[in-house]
Amino acid sequence: MICKQLCNLHPFAVSKVTSLRYTQLKKRQFLFKASVRALCLLGFASFSLAGETQIKAGTTQANISDSEIAPTLVSNTDSWYQVPKANTVTFKTAHGDVVIALHPTLAPKHVARFKALIEAGFYNEQAFYRVVDGFVAQAGSNDTHDATEFAESLLKPIRAEFTQPLNSNVNIVESKDMFAPHTGFLDGFPVGVDKNRKEMWGLHCPGVVAFARNSEIDTASTEFYIVIGQAPRHLDRNMSVVGRVVKGMELLQKLPRGNMATGGVLDDITQKSKIKQAFIHNNNATPYFLQTPDHEEYKKRANTGRNLDNPFFHDNTYGPRPIDVCYYQTKPSIKAW
């Protein structure tokens, strides 16, 4: 098995990666066998909580020429993207159902692996075993699974998919972003864009789901994390993003928090941390929609964010100003309105 690593992190400092072994950590249901497959991150303790992923969103669409784009997946309407039910998954927890929308264009091999693991029952009775307040909730086996119960192809490392060819469905929202030449949305999923390189990548906004890995590039396999706090954008272009939460962010905030002395790993796993069941939605399931930046309500919020065009704001000296798409996200819904 791949050696698991845990980031020994300090606020506002560069992380130092160390290999640790957790010997004889008694769990209610199982033992952690090795140190954690970790996200090697900077300064997570400085991030504040964000209780919802469906916060705010804004747009000023920039045109992308045909010569700069890759083949598309067709959106359903100008204002809404209906997530295919085959790309909608539910994780049942002690606190309720968390629903995740996947977009294969962001990381096709990782999305395929995620769905295959769900269908194989890999995540059933696994846990969110690393939860850092205001940062991420990480789930998966931490090598506690019985490898003989699953096909070897489901457990081997995946080649990284940090960026993808620029897709014609991308709507550029902001061109003065701190971490990317442009930011916007691919069918309601937040992305960064480099038009010169003709690339796009998933952003680490609240609610985004991505695969965890060791510090080596091609080491993701079964573990994933969900951003439950302020956007840790320094991870962009360094992790394989697969989707975003469309229901249940407030439930993830109820997960037990881990021990900061061990990078957020829980000392004890209880049913409150467990994934009871994970499944892909069938054709009879409730559909989920993601607002696009072309939606009029979205445009109104964007205008307020840029121009402080609201009676609340009494000082708009520095408007118009750039907006953060992770704060001005598109909204999920169970109906198009």
Side-chain angles (χ1 to χ4, degrees):
M1 299 297 293
I2 301 170
C3 176
K4 302 296 184 278
Q5 293 178 324
L6 178 68
C7 288
N8 182 16
L9 302 175
H10 303 279
F12 310 106
V14 176
S15 62
K16 178 181 180 182
V17 181
T18 59
S19 294
L20 300 178
R21 286 215 177 264
Y22 291 94
T23 59
Q24 302 177 346
L25 272 181
K26 186 176 182 181
K27 306 302 176 185
R28 180 173 293 187
Q29 301 295 331
F30 54 83
L31 296 175
F32 282 129
K33 284 171 48 179
S35 57
V36 179
R37 179 190 302 276
L39 309 174
C40 297
L41 309 169
L42 303 176
F44 57 71
S46 64
F47 297 129
S48 63
L49 273 174
E52 298 219 359
T53 183
Q54 306 96 338
I55 316 179
K56 311 290 185 259
T59 184
T60 298
Q61 183 174 344
N63 292 327
I64 303 174
S65 70
D66 291 339
S67 63
E68 297 175 303
I69 59 179
T72 69
L73 293 177
V74 178
S75 294
N76 304 97
T77 70
D78 290 337
S79 299
W80 293 96
Y81 172 75
Q82 183 173 351
V83 182
K85 293 176 183 178
N87 291 332
T88 311
V89 302
T90 286
F91 282 78
K92 299 186 78 68
T93 75
H95 312 288
D97 292 352
V98 176
V99 182
I100 296 169
L102 305 172
H103 203 310
T105 304
L106 293 173
K109 293 180 181 178
H110 286 73
V111 170
R113 170 68 63 84
F114 197 47
K115 292 168 64 175
L117 287 165
I118 291 170
E119 289 185 318
F122 183 87
Y123 295 116
N124 297 346
E125 291 302 312
Q126 293 294 343
F128 286 95
Y129 68 85
R130 179 187 181 223
V131 183
V132 181
D133 204 22
F135 182 40
V136 297
Q138 186 168 330
S141 74
N142 192 31
D143 272 355
T144 58
H145 63 274
D146 182 352
T148 64
E149 293 184 1
F150 303 96
E152 183 179 356
S153 60
L154 289 180
L155 307 178
K156 65 182 181 181
I158 316 172
R159 181 167 293 183
E161 297 177 297
F162 298 158
T163 65
Q164 294 294 329
L166 184 57
N167 189 286
S168 65
N169 281 4
V170 169
N171 286 356
I172 290 177
V173 170
E174 184 54 64
S175 297
K176 295 181 181 180
D177 183 79
M178 182 181 296
F179 295 95
H182 309 279
T183 54
F185 293 91
L186 168 67
D187 298 327
F189 295 79
V191 293
V193 172
D194 188 328
K195 294 173 67 174
N196 292 331
R197 291 188 173 191
K198 302 178 183 179
E199 289 180 345
M200 66 177 186
W201 56 92
L203 301 183
H204 278 77
C205 299
V208 159
V209 184
F211 266 63
R213 64 174 176 86
N214 290 339
S215 57
E216 295 81 8
I217 188 170
D218 297 324
T219 52
S221 58
T222 64
E223 296 183 27
F224 69 96
Y225 61 92
I226 302 173
V227 179
I228 61 170
Q230 185 174 337
R233 291 284 306 283
H234 57 284
L235 296 180
D236 293 354
R237 295 178 60 90
N238 285 282
M239 310 298 285
S240 299
V241 172
V242 296
R244 62 175 284 193
V245 173
V246 292
K247 176 187 175 184
M249 275 298 291
E250 74 282 2
L251 305 177
L252 293 169
Q253 300 296 348
K254 297 179 181 181
L255 290 170
R257 267 42 176 178
N259 186 342
M260 294 304 295
T262 55
V265 177
L266 275 69
D267 290 331
D268 289 296
I269 297 295
T270 70
Q271 289 301 317
K272 292 182 179 180
S273 301
K274 288 291 191 72
I275 297 168
K276 295 181 177 181
Q277 183 188 16
F279 59 86
I280 299 171
H281 289 203
N282 60 35
N283 289 333
N284 297 322
T286 300
Y288 282 85
F289 297 84
L290 284 170
Q291 195 181 40
T292 77
D294 287 326
H295 196 287
E296 288 303 317
E297 187 271 347
Y298 184 90
K299 292 178 181 179
K300 185 178 293 186
R301 285 187 284 129
N303 180 69
T304 298
R306 283 197 172 88
N307 300 302
L308 306 179
D309 185 18
N310 184 287
F312 172 84
F313 298 107
H314 294 276
D315 184 351
N316 60 359
T317 302
Y318 301 112
R321 61 186 183 183
I323 60 173
D324 176 6
V325 298
C326 283
Y327 185 75
Y328 289 87
Q329 285 207 64
T330 56
K331 292 182 176 180
S333 178
I334 57 173
K335 63 180 180 179
W337 42 269

